[in-house]
Amino acid sequence: DTGVSQDPRHKITKRGQNVTFRCDPISEHNRLYWYRQTLGQGPEFLTYFQNEAQLEKSRLLSDRFSAERPKGSFSTLEIQRTEQGDSAMYLCASSLLGERAHSPLHFGNGTRLTVT
Amino acid sequence: DQQVKQNSPSLSVQEGRISILNCDYTNSMFDYFLWYKKYPAEGPTFLISISSIKDKNEDGRFTVFLNKSAKHLSLHIVPSQPGDSAVYFCAASAVGGTYKYIFGTGTRLKVLA
């Protein structure tokens, strides 16, 4: 179990640029989540995959945001035309759908995005 | 609409004493609750969970209590240690949903040596 891996750890970009983040979940986990966290707040749900299917997207996820999980393995989160309000920590988490419907999320260490 | 609330932004406790962190929720459909601990520059780490069919779950120094009628849960840490100093988040998930977890805003715990 190597844990959830996120890349890069930090990203500084200029407003208007596109950025892409990658998440590698724990290998046997079939659920993958993206969350966003800003200072003083808890993680806010963005989107969720079960295998390769994106099952839910938050209203927070504007048209500038897109996430994919090809082949149900790693996932990417792209933000187009970044805005200063996109500055946040982007967290990826995975879990295993098994006999128990609920299982804890295992988080990566996040990608901190700063938009200047 | 904050469905999961942690009304205490911070808490200080002496080493060796009990730490009690509280969480309230509004959605009666929530049926699974978790506590996470977060250190700076790291992702949240899962601590303990509880299903709505139980009112208590214990794991070592950590115990979670659930009061469904009050829509309230609490995390007890006994005895508290300096290494427990971190931000603690409660989270909840609803039956029949997509199993997304809604998080509270966190409580910063400081354990004083």
Side-chain angles (χ1 to χ4, degrees):
Chain A
D1 178 3
T2 58
V4 177
S5 177
Q6 291 189 247
D7 183 70
R9 289 295 308 273
H10 304 274
K11 178 71 177 179
I12 300 174
T13 191
K14 291 181 190 273
R15 188 179 51 171
Q17 297 294 304
N18 298 344
V19 295
T20 300
F21 310 141
R22 177 180 170 122
C23 171
D24 288 274
I26 294 171
S27 57
E28 64 269 25
H29 285 184
N30 47 17
R31 296 180 182 170
L32 187 146
Y33 298 76
W34 285 98
Y35 281 80
R36 179 173 69 186
Q37 187 176 18
T38 53
L39 196 62
Q41 299 297 315
E44 295 176 296
F45 172 79
L46 293 179
T47 190
Y48 151 74
F49 292 84
Q50 184 161 309
N51 299 312
E52 65 275 11
Q54 188 173 19
L55 296 186
E56 185 171 343
K57 293 196 296 186
S58 164
R59 288 170 293 177
L60 293 174
L61 215 62
S62 77
D63 291 344
R64 297 184 296 106
F65 288 71
S66 62
E68 294 183 344
R69 192 183 183 198
K71 302 178 184 178
S73 56
F74 71 92
S75 175
T76 58
L77 178 68
E78 181 182 17
I79 309 174
Q80 296 182 327
R81 305 181 303 281
T82 51
E83 301 172 357
Q84 287 186 322
D86 297 331
S87 296
M89 174 74 83
Y90 289 84
L91 293 163
C92 176
S94 68
S95 70
L96 178 64
L97 171 63
E99 291 180 359
R100 299 167 67 179
H102 292 296
S103 59
L105 302 183
H106 297 266
F107 282 89
N109 285 329
T111 293
R112 178 165 296 284
L113 173 65
T114 302
V115 182
T116 61
Chain B
D1 177 24
Q2 188 70 26
Q3 298 184 65
V4 179
K5 302 177 186 178
Q6 294 177 257
N7 293 318
S8 298
S10 64
L11 174 68
S12 291
V13 171
Q14 283 296 130
E15 181 179 7
R17 305 296 292 267
I18 184 171
S19 294
I20 300 176
L21 298 105
N22 294 304
C23 179
D24 296 292
Y25 61 96
T26 57
N27 188 342
S28 57
M29 298 299 289
F30 286 150
D31 68 335
Y32 185 65
F33 305 88
L34 311 93
W35 282 94
Y36 283 82
K37 176 170 72 174
K38 186 179 185 301
Y39 293 120
E42 295 184 10
T45 302
F46 169 69
L47 274 177
I48 191 168
S49 64
I50 188 166
S51 164
S52 60
I53 61 173
K54 295 185 174 182
D55 54 19
K56 177 182 174 181
N57 189 26
E58 198 169 348
D59 184 1
R61 297 186 298 115
F62 301 92
T63 303
V64 56
F65 294 91
L66 175 62
N67 183 333
K68 289 187 290 292
S69 61
K71 293 191 178 69
H72 177 84
L73 65 156
S74 61
L75 175 68
H76 293 209
I77 306 173
V78 183
S80 301
Q81 299 173 355
D84 295 330
S85 297
V87 179
Y88 289 78
F89 294 98
C90 65
S93 181
V95 62
T98 54
Y99 307 110
K100 71 182 181 186
Y101 295 84
I102 307 298
F103 283 78
T105 53
T107 296
R108 182 176 299 278
L109 173 66
K110 188 170 184 179
V111 180
L112 307 169

